[in-house]
Amino acid sequence: MAAAKYHGIELDIRDFAAEAGEESPSPASLARWLNEQGAVAKGMRVRWRYLVRLTNTPPIVLMFRDGSAALMVGANADRGVVWLRDPLTDEGAAPVAVDELRLSQVWTGDVLLVKRRRDQSEADAPFDLGWFVKIVLRERRALRDILIASVVLSVLTIFPALLVMQVIDRVVNYRSMATLVSIIGIVVILSFYEILLTYARRELMLVVSTRIDTRLSLHAFNRLLALPLEFYERQQTGRVLGRYMAIYKVRDFLTGKLMTVFLDMFTLLVILPLLFYMSATLAWMTVACAGLIGLIAVVFIGPIRRIYGRLVDAEMERGSVLYETVAGIRTVKTLALEPSRREMWDETTADVVRWKLAAGRMANWPQTLVMPLDMFMSRGIILVGAYLALQSSGGIAAGGLMAFMMLGGRVTAPLVGLARLLEDLNEVSTALGEAGMVLNQPTETKALTNGMRPRVKGALSFTDVNFTYPGAAVKALNNVNFEIPAGTMLGLVGRSGSGKSTVTRLLQGVSRTYTGYLRLDGIEMREINLTHLRRSFGVVLQDNFLFRGTVRDNITAGRPGLTIDDVVRAARLAGAEEFIERMPAGYDTWIEEGSTNISGGQRQRLAIARAVISDPKLMILDEATSALDPESEALVNANLQRIGKGRTMVIVSHRLSSLVDCDLICVMDQGSVVDLAPHAVLLERCEIYRMLWMQQNRHQYGGESSRASMLAEGE
């Protein structure tokens, strides 16, 4: 944290999640954390002779054997000392000079280098072919070794053909046993080296492709997590997943066919000059046939691309239907929607089959046109060579003709592969465009890594706040103005669509495109680091998602480093302790997917425990009790007074009875604040609140509630 602060980056230790099994943070886990927070960090192992030469550098973190660390703030190679500062002391404290002997007793040899990110990182760069190429080129050293192995293998491929030529022209014609023995020895030696180099190249290619796959998966998933919630609310989940998976088609192309053809091109560069030396006529025939194959492939690129684009759209539509059906299978079963979902699946499958058939037919044309050229290269050239040998006494010999055919096959494969690579570009470009429609969306990366990290107390202030959802014609919030001090329990009420949930969205930083001023403890919300803001809040929604895992894992989802004592305290505060202790394994009870083995009320109380475990100073409950049965709702409401002690609470609820004990209740209508006062005052002076109250408590007001209900419906 001290090293990052030197570069102007403020870190919150609560954001750090230690790796499992680590007694103290390793340089790798610290570097990962720093990179997530907008810095550039790298862990390295350095020898003393290099460390002492690092003069005029920013502070370097030195890792010690006991799990502690120090900042190296200077070095002097002539004197053989480095200056260390304890990061826990005051910044003005004088550093201590340490020599090699003293440092070697405590230093592990590991250092952590930290700097501020000033250029556009891979995580923020546009997702295109250039981005992929940068990922691949990061493996320069391994690619260099693969290149060297490919060049050597290309040279070795020449010798078998030359040896065959010698066998036919020398051994067979002259019946020379000594020459045959010599050739056998050469073949054995060359074969051994070829097998060894081929194995090494495959191993290197496997390592490179695996590293690229890992880096690609990490970057793409991080980009997916960095997308704002608004994007996911506008897009079908099935389409998002379908477009995201398209990146693996690009990955397979770059690390598979493209790399193979690229390596085969070295074989072409080595063998082609030899073919022209052996027979220029046959060599030109081979090159011409391969060129025609490439021309045919280029002509069909456009039509195949258009049809394949339609096929991708149809497959994503079918994937969306499948995802919606599986995700909503409970609704499908309870409402007997199987026939309608089956009909929708049949229609989307028919579209996929129709376009797949069209794509196959279109791809069949270039393959058919290429066949005569391919057959001529494999069969016709040997006939032409035989004709040339018969017509001219100085022509190619029988052994030379056999050698040419062997080498010609090696030349044809990369040329044909290069031509057919153009066909694959259709699929890759389409897949790249589909993935880019998701991964090139504006992210929250800057807001998640930059900004202020103030200590949250909970005072809120809305000043002329206006907000409109994308594509909407009416404002969701219209000149909202109110202010509450820290520690206030605030209720938000109003008819559906009045803007209650929109207020909570702005507080959580889900939407930051509002106008006006929304301040937390006097600081504008948009100036606060988004990760810090959300970690400082406790949020409980109407339908909370519990992850597949234990009860303890779900309560500590946002704070994996907390102890079982913290978990028990949060569960007790949320009123969840009593039912957790009745579970078969207590806090280690496994929660099934979709929370099928716990009730709705239990799920809500676990969500509240998850929200309060970090002791937030501001909590938001958005319709948290609307889906509960009366008993569970009463239990949760009874706990709210305990939970709200010493913190600001913003409670959205349609049930006004759960807001009676709030310090203030904000009544909203059509995006504006109508009134702000305690319950008793609102009953007297706010007509909207009074009508909503009478409508929900008609059993107390008799006939008067009917009139209020009619008025509410009319308005």
Side-chain angles (χ1 to χ4, degrees):
M1 292 175 65
K5 190 175 182 179
Y6 175 86
H7 298 283
I9 303 172
E10 293 288 340
L11 300 177
D12 187 347
I13 191 63
R14 296 178 300 172
D15 294 337
F16 177 74
E19 297 289 341
E22 283 188 353
E23 295 182 3
S24 59
S26 65
S29 59
L30 290 171
R32 173 186 54 77
W33 177 45
L34 286 163
N35 288 324
E36 290 173 354
Q37 301 302 314
V40 177
K42 184 177 182 180
M44 298 179 64
R45 176 149 289 191
V46 181
R47 295 181 182 273
W48 167 263
R49 63 174 179 270
Y50 298 116
L51 181 71
V52 78
R53 295 175 186 171
L54 295 176
T55 58
N56 300 322
T57 60
I60 298 172
V61 182
L62 271 60
M63 313 297 293
F64 291 163
R65 291 191 178 93
D66 63 354
S68 62
L71 283 176
M72 192 187 89
V73 295
N76 190 316
D78 296 332
R79 294 176 55 185
V81 295
V82 296
W83 278 273
L84 304 183
R85 182 172 70 82
D86 185 350
L88 299 179
T89 61
D90 184 53
E91 292 184 14
V96 178
V98 181
D99 58 16
E100 180 181 5
L101 180 61
R102 292 175 61 192
L103 185 63
S104 62
Q105 295 174 1
V106 294
W107 182 40
T108 63
D110 293 328
V111 300
L112 189 67
L113 306 178
V114 184
K115 71 175 183 177
R116 187 175 185 84
R117 177 177 289 136
R118 301 189 183 278
D119 55 346
Q120 191 178 47
S121 66
E122 289 178 353
D124 303 317
F127 186 85
D128 52 18
L129 193 59
W131 185 86
F132 265 104
V133 172
K134 288 180 180 178
I135 291 286
V136 174
L137 290 181
R138 290 184 64 175
E139 304 297 330
R140 291 187 184 91
R141 184 174 298 178
L143 291 174
R144 180 200 62 194
D145 296 338
I146 293 173
L147 180 61
I148 293 173
S150 299
V151 171
V152 176
L153 284 172
S154 299
V155 174
L156 290 178
T157 56
I158 297 175
F159 290 99
L162 297 179
L163 292 174
V164 168
M165 181 173 66
Q166 294 300 320
V167 168
I168 294 176
D169 292 342
R170 301 289 176 88
V171 176
V172 175
N173 290 342
Y174 298 101
R175 306 180 67 82
S176 174
M177 183 62 67
T179 305
L180 179 60
V181 172
S182 301
I183 290 176
I184 290 174
I186 295 173
V187 167
V188 170
I189 295 172
L190 292 178
S191 298
F192 172 77
Y193 281 108
E194 186 173 0
I195 292 171
L196 188 63
L197 279 171
T198 302
Y199 170 78
R201 188 176 77 165
R202 286 175 181 168
E203 182 69 19
L204 286 171
M205 290 179 65
L206 180 62
V207 171
V208 169
S209 61
T210 303
R211 288 168 63 92
I212 292 173
D213 184 39
T214 303
R215 191 172 285 117
L216 173 63
S217 298
L218 293 175
H219 281 301
F221 190 72
N222 288 338
R223 183 79 68 92
L224 206 63
L225 289 177
L227 294 176
L229 182 59
E230 289 179 323
F231 168 76
Y232 292 102
E233 293 174 341
R234 296 194 306 266
Q235 299 288 330
Q236 283 185 326
T237 306
R239 283 188 171 270
V240 171
L241 293 177
R243 286 170 174 155
Y244 173 79
M245 296 305 294
I247 64 172
Y248 294 105
K249 292 183 179 178
V250 184
R251 183 273 319 268
D252 292 338
F253 173 76
L254 288 177
T255 60
K257 296 179 180 178
L258 182 62
M259 186 175 291
T260 301
V261 172
F262 178 73
L263 295 176
D264 287 342
M265 292 303 294
F266 290 101
T267 303
L268 178 66
L269 295 176
V270 172
I271 296 178
L272 199 57
L274 182 61
L275 291 183
F276 275 95
Y277 173 77
M278 296 174 67
S279 175
T281 303
L282 298 181
W284 278 117
M285 287 183 180
T286 302
V287 173
C289 289
L292 288 174
I293 292 174
L295 180 62
I296 292 172
V298 170
V299 169
F300 281 89
I301 283 179
I304 292 177
R305 177 184 297 169
R306 287 190 292 271
I307 293 177
Y308 189 79
R310 299 287 187 87
L311 174 61
V312 170
D313 289 338
E315 287 180 337
M316 278 196 293
E317 186 66 30
R318 184 170 67 169
S320 297
V321 173
L322 177 62
Y323 176 84
E324 288 178 352
T325 303
V326 174
I329 193 64
R330 183 175 299 175
T331 304
V332 171
K333 291 293 184 181
T334 53
L335 298 181
L337 298 179
E338 290 92 342
S340 62
R341 301 306 297 181
R342 190 179 296 113
E343 181 180 356
M344 193 175 297
W345 177 259
D346 291 345
E347 291 175 357
T348 54
T349 300
D351 285 339
V352 170
V353 171
R354 185 183 304 114
W355 289 112
K356 186 174 289 187
L357 184 61
R361 286 173 173 169
M362 181 59 68
N364 193 23
W365 275 105
Q367 293 176 14
T368 303
L369 295 175
V370 162
M371 280 188 67
L373 298 171
D374 204 357
M375 293 169 67
F376 175 75
M377 284 191 293
S378 61
R379 306 170 190 176
I381 287 181
I382 191 171
L383 299 177
V384 174
Y387 173 77
L388 293 176
L390 293 174
Q391 290 295 317
S392 175
S393 59
I396 190 170
L401 184 59
M402 291 300 298
F404 187 94
M405 291 307 302
M406 291 178 65
L407 294 175
R410 295 289 186 113
V411 171
T412 303
L415 286 175
V416 173
L418 183 63
R420 288 177 176 168
L421 201 64
L422 298 174
E423 297 181 28
D424 297 324
L425 284 174
N426 294 316
E427 182 177 347
V428 171
S429 61
T430 304
L432 196 61
E434 292 294 337
M437 292 177 68
V438 172
L439 299 178
N440 282 337
Q441 295 292 326
T443 66
E444 296 178 325
T445 302
K446 186 175 181 180
L448 290 168
T449 56
N450 297 337
M452 303 173 64
R453 298 173 183 265
R455 185 178 296 277
V456 175
K457 297 178 181 177
L460 295 175
S461 172
F462 284 72
T463 306
D464 298 327
V465 175
N466 294 271
F467 176 75
T468 304
Y469 285 100
V474 181
K475 291 182 179 180
L477 294 181
N478 185 20
N479 289 329
V480 173
N481 290 274
F482 68 87
E483 185 175 346
I484 61 170
T488 302
M489 184 177 290
L490 173 70
L492 287 175
V493 300
R495 301 185 182 94
S496 296
S498 60
K500 305 184 299 296
S501 294
T502 304
V503 169
T504 64
R505 287 170 63 89
L506 298 190
L507 290 176
Q508 298 171 63
V510 173
S511 302
R512 287 193 157 190
T513 55
Y514 59 86
T515 60
Y517 299 96
L518 170 54
R519 296 182 177 91
L520 173 63
D521 299 324
I523 303 173
E524 226 297 323
M525 280 284 195
R526 286 169 290 201
E527 300 296 326
I528 301 176
N529 176 275
L530 197 53
T531 301
H532 175 76
L533 179 69
R534 290 172 178 171
R535 288 187 181 275
S536 302
F537 282 20
V539 181
V540 184
L541 305 175
Q542 178 178 353
D543 186 17
N544 292 277
F545 186 84
L546 295 183
F547 296 96
R548 190 167 175 266
T550 65
V551 171
R552 178 179 178 177
D553 292 339
N554 273 276
I555 294 178
T556 61
R559 294 286 186 271
L562 296 180
T563 64
I564 186 63
D565 293 334
D566 299 316
V567 175
V568 173
R569 179 188 57 80
R572 185 178 297 125
L573 196 61
E577 185 182 27
E578 53 90 12
F579 78 81
I580 294 176
E581 291 181 345
R582 295 199 308 266
M583 288 182 165
Y587 289 91
D588 292 323
T589 301
W590 192 266
I591 295 177
E592 297 298 333
E593 185 175 358
S595 313
T596 55
N597 58 335
I598 62 174
S599 68
Q602 292 171 340
R603 182 168 60 245
Q604 288 298 86
R605 280 179 275 174
L606 287 179
I608 294 174
R610 182 168 61 187
V612 301
I613 191 170
S614 58
D615 193 25
K617 294 303 179 184
L618 196 154
M619 284 195 64
I620 299 172
L621 280 74
D622 191 353
E623 299 290 353
T625 61
S626 61
L628 300 182
D629 57 87
E631 182 182 356
S632 298
E633 182 184 9
L635 185 59
V636 170
N637 288 335
N639 291 330
L640 288 182
Q641 293 298 325
R642 283 192 302 159
I643 295 172
K645 187 175 296 184
R647 65 180 109 240
T648 302
M649 299 275 290
V650 178
I651 306 172
V652 178
S653 179
H654 282 100
R655 299 180 184 178
L656 304 188
S657 59
S658 62
L659 304 177
V660 172
D661 295 326
C662 288
D663 300 317
L664 292 172
I665 299 176
C666 179
V667 183
M668 302 191 67
D669 189 55
Q670 297 182 0
S672 301
V673 174
V674 177
D675 204 343
L676 178 67
H679 166 73
V681 177
L682 290 176
L683 278 179
E684 293 182 3
R685 75 183 189 191
C686 182
E687 185 177 354
I688 294 178
Y689 185 82
R690 185 167 57 251
M691 285 190 296
L692 291 172
W693 177 263
M694 293 173 65
Q695 186 178 7
Q696 293 183 19
N697 297 273
R698 60 173 59 92
H699 60 284
Q700 298 180 9
Y701 297 92
E704 190 177 356
S705 66
S706 300
R707 185 175 67 86
S709 177
M710 292 174 64
L711 281 172
E713 290 178 2
E715 290 185 2

